Amino acid sequence: MSFLNPWFLAAAVSVAVPVVLHLFQQRRTARLSFPALRYLERTEREHSREIRFRQILLLLARVLALVLLVAAGARPFLSAPGSAHPPTAVVIVLDNSMSTGLVVDEERVLDVLKRVAERSLRAATPDDLVWVIRAGEPWRPAVPQSPADGRRTVRETRVSHARGDLSASLDRAEDLLATSEYQSREIHLITDLQRSGFSARDAQPASVPVTVWTRTPEATDNHAVVEAVVAGGLPPIQGQSAEISVRIAGPEGGDPIGVRALVDGRVRAAANLAPGNATTLTLPPSDTAWVVGTVAIDPDQLSIDDRRYFAYRSRPAPATAVRGDPDRFVLEAMAVLEEAGRVRTGSIGPPDVTIAVTGNGLQGLSAGSAALVLPPVDPTLRPALNRRLRDAGIPWSYGERTVSGAAELTGPDLPSGLAETTVERWFELQASDDARVPSRVLAEIAGTPWAVETETASGHEVLLLASPLDAGSSSLPLSPGLVRFLDWVAVGWAGAGRTNPGHLTGERIPAPRGATHVRTPDGARLEIDGTRSVATTGISGHYTFLEEDSVVAVASVNPPAAESDLHPLDASLARERIARDVRVASDLEAWSDEIFHDRRGPELWWVLLLLAVFVLLAEPVLAAAGRVRIPKQANRNHMPAPHGAP
């Protein structure tokens, strides 16, 4: 039993009033017995035990009446399944990640989860406050709603092609509930419990109870295209074939399945590939227009990951020039690239890419060209390099050389060819305090910048390296990575040829320079806002960036490969990952019993009030029944004679 007005129970101290009156309000005056009263006193003594018993009953009746009145004022109610609940702030975390698009028994998993969410919202009352978090679309705001509006939000929910981070969604739900003034708070986690949706986390103190839907579909033998990379992420050269590296995921030991590459809806290459293996498909040469296509397999129960998108634009082999005194390894690598048709050297006209050793050639950059700046091997030439950087308006300078022995390059945007590169000597790259030019660190060494992307005052793109490309400074010149790195600089990074090998759904896509709008895969045309990025990437496909009506770039967006692993998380392990006060339910009836745990049944105040009225009406009767009755004959015999009688 619980009370709606528990503070009213403080009035129970009033029961002391009849007790005090009963114990301490006895008459203390002297008594003088007249002859006419002696009979009454004798009668009272004979009935004293009965009188005391009736007085105790009378006291208990008065105390009981006060207790019943106080309890009725506190408004008690009984808790029971199916009963009403007090006003509650509830967050519904609805998992609509890619895995919920799985079709089981001709029904999508998301449709089942939506029915569970609607069961929660139908059990809610107009006094409840509801938030709906779509775990597969974390960029969507969650606003407080009425249950009716929450049902509309659930009905409008669609399968996202992004990953659902359920651990982050639970943290977000607690933050939302912390803003509520409601005493009753709950989180309803409605998910397929996919293993990739939870991150390993330390146990947290139970603050808000979480009810989890645990009836998950059985793991199915899902096939998926998890990789489709064109030319290692670099744009192909015009006139050369483009190779696509393709990898298929699925149950080991399965039969080979057909995989095909389509461009403009037409099959351009095909192969048979066993799950878990990779192959290379070759596309015919193309001109400089954007090429958009897909790598696809036959659809299965989860069709979203049965295709992967790619986009690239072939470009002419860039004209390159080397200025200054480079190391021989640089010249040999450039010769290899020229022989392969990846670059052109010694061509007539301004170069597209300049390798500026000690900053030579920065002043002569042509419109649209870029430069790779290499520091000198001789540290005494550092002041000359800094002077050339300053004259070009580059907001970086080279500090004193640091000798560390050996350290490996790191960085989230590590350029192609730099992986596993060990650096032994480098200069310290220092940014100017008043730098207004945007810069980005692509690689680090021992926590300091090693490769920095920036611009000159005239807008030319510049890539600064902290080490010269000689054998005494790093392991790069002695490895095939030098050729890949210079290929990436000339073909992939510099100018219009720079591209991203692909984005994942849910990620923010930076808009290229000049883009004013973006056309999403579902045909919507969105204006590029002040963030110069696109955040709503919940659908896989091609995102076309436009400058008014002209195509500037095309970005391919694909779902994370981890979403294709449909194995659910074990229920006991889910408790550890959630690390909160958890209740579980695997059918709709059990779900209805578990949600809104602070329930109340019919209020009992009116029953207590009726009992109090009955006791108050019975109290006078009980009091009258306790009086000592004197026989009439005795009264006549002992009644004193009237004044003046003989």
Side-chain angles (χ1 to χ4, degrees), residues 435-513:
R436 299 181 181 178
V437 178
S439 301
R440 187 164 65 108
V441 176
L442 301 183
E444 294 183 345
I445 181 72
T448 62
W450 189 86
V452 176
E453 179 187 74
T454 185
E455 294 179 0
T456 66
S458 55
H460 295 93
E461 294 176 325
V462 176
L463 183 62
L464 306 175
L465 298 189
S467 300
L469 296 180
D470 68 311
S473 298
S474 71
S475 63
L476 186 60
L478 301 177
S479 70
L482 179 61
V483 176
R484 292 196 299 270
F485 173 66
L486 292 179
D487 187 22
W488 175 83
V489 170
V491 181
W493 171 79
R498 184 175 57 181
T499 184
N500 190 303
H503 299 271
L504 297 180
T505 49
E507 291 181 346
R508 186 180 293 270
I509 305 177
R513 185 181 303 170

Side-chain angles (χ1 to χ4, degrees), residues 158-435:
R158 300 293 181 265
V159 175
S160 169
H161 297 185
R163 171 180 176 263
D165 191 340
L166 299 176
S167 299
S169 297
L170 288 173
D171 293 339
R172 183 182 175 193
E174 283 205 349
D175 293 340
L176 291 174
L177 291 175
T179 65
S180 172
E181 297 180 354
Y182 285 38
Q183 292 183 351
S184 298
R185 304 173 183 178
E186 292 188 8
I187 298 175
H188 298 175
L189 178 57
I190 307 172
T191 173
D192 59 357
L193 280 181
Q194 188 184 15
R195 188 162 50 193
S196 63
F198 294 89
S199 57
R201 56 191 304 158
D202 297 332
Q204 298 179 359
S207 56
V208 179
V210 180
T211 306
V212 184
W213 176 256
T214 60
R215 194 181 72 181
T216 60
E218 295 183 1
T220 182
D221 293 338
N222 180 47
H223 295 90
V225 183
V226 294
E227 183 180 288
V229 180
V230 180
L234 299 177
I237 296 298
Q238 184 180 1
Q240 296 183 0
S241 299
E243 293 185 342
I244 304 180
S245 175
V246 178
R247 186 165 59 90
I248 305 297
E252 296 183 0
D255 295 332
I257 58 177
V259 56
R260 52 197 178 275
L262 299 90
V263 176
D264 296 330
R266 298 176 59 186
V267 177
R268 297 293 185 176
N272 289 325
L273 184 62
N277 295 333
T279 189
T280 299
L281 302 178
T282 302
L283 297 180
S286 62
D287 55 20
T288 57
W290 278 96
V291 176
V292 294
T294 58
V295 174
I297 59 177
D298 291 336
D300 54 13
Q301 291 174 281
L302 181 61
S303 60
I304 297 173
D305 58 3
D306 293 334
R307 59 180 55 224
R308 206 160 187 88
Y309 300 87
F310 62 86
Y312 65 89
R313 182 170 63 175
S314 298
R315 59 171 299 187
T320 60
V322 180
R323 301 288 185 260
D325 187 16
D327 189 86
R328 66 181 180 88
F329 292 103
V330 175
L331 296 177
E332 292 174 359
M334 295 302 296
V336 171
L337 293 175
E338 184 175 20
E339 184 178 356
R342 301 291 295 176
V343 300
R344 294 177 290 122
T345 61
S347 58
I348 300 176
D352 299 314
V353 183
T354 298
I355 300 178
V357 182
T358 320
N360 288 284
L362 287 176
Q363 292 296 331
L365 296 178
S366 60
S369 63
L372 170 65
V373 176
L374 301 179
V377 177
D378 185 358
T380 62
L381 299 177
R382 180 176 58 87
L385 170 58
N386 286 334
R387 184 175 61 254
R388 294 185 179 105
L389 295 178
R390 186 170 55 253
D391 293 342
I394 296 175
W396 288 79
S397 63
Y398 285 79
E400 294 289 341
R401 170 174 287 184
T402 302
V403 179
S404 70
E408 191 170 305
L409 289 179
T410 59
D413 297 317
L414 202 64
S416 176
L418 294 186
E420 300 180 356
T421 296
T422 301
V423 180
E424 295 184 358
R425 294 184 297 179
W426 65 90
F427 292 96
E428 183 181 0
L429 283 172
Q430 301 170 339
S432 302
D433 294 336
D434 58 347

Side-chain angles (χ1 to χ4, degrees), residues 62 164 228 272 316 349 417 588 604:
R62 292 166 180 170
N272 289 325
L588 289 178
L604 304 178

Side-chain angles (χ1 to χ4, degrees), residues 574-595:
R575 291 177 179 269
E576 298 179 7
R577 295 289 175 88
I578 296 173
R580 290 171 172 85
D581 178 14
V582 181
R583 310 184 191 103
V584 297
S586 57
D587 60 73
L588 289 178
E589 295 302 324
W591 180 263
S592 299
D593 293 339
E594 292 293 342
I595 60 176

